[in-house]
Amino acid sequence: MRKITFDIIVILLIAILLITLNQIELLEKSAKFMFIPILAFYFIGQFAERKFNKKQGL
């Protein structure tokens, strides 16, 4: 699977999860924008994986 396809799938799954939680009112009013930090942590994790894999020679 190509990286861009995987990224789009993950972004859509996160969005669907947060929309679902919001619709059944499990998120508080201040937590409606949790998509942004979750997405940021996802891309930080990808960056760290690329950086550490280069150092290990994988």
Side-chain angles (χ1 to χ4, degrees):
M1 183 180 326
R2 292 179 43 190
K3 185 178 181 321
I4 190 75
T5 306
F6 183 74
D7 288 346
I8 291 171
I9 290 171
V10 169
I11 291 168
L12 288 175
L13 287 175
I14 292 170
I16 290 169
L17 173 69
L18 290 174
I19 290 170
T20 303
L21 290 174
N22 188 38
Q23 290 298 319
I24 58 175
E25 297 180 4
L26 290 178
L27 296 178
E28 296 178 14
K29 291 182 181 181
S30 62
K32 289 184 180 180
F33 298 102
M34 288 300 296
F35 180 74
I36 296 167
I38 290 172
L39 192 59
F41 283 119
Y42 172 72
F43 284 111
I44 290 170
Q46 283 189 342
F47 172 75
E49 178 190 2
R50 283 192 306 265
K51 186 173 181 178
F52 289 121
N53 278 344
K54 287 181 182 177
K55 286 184 178 180
Q56 293 176 356
L58 295 176

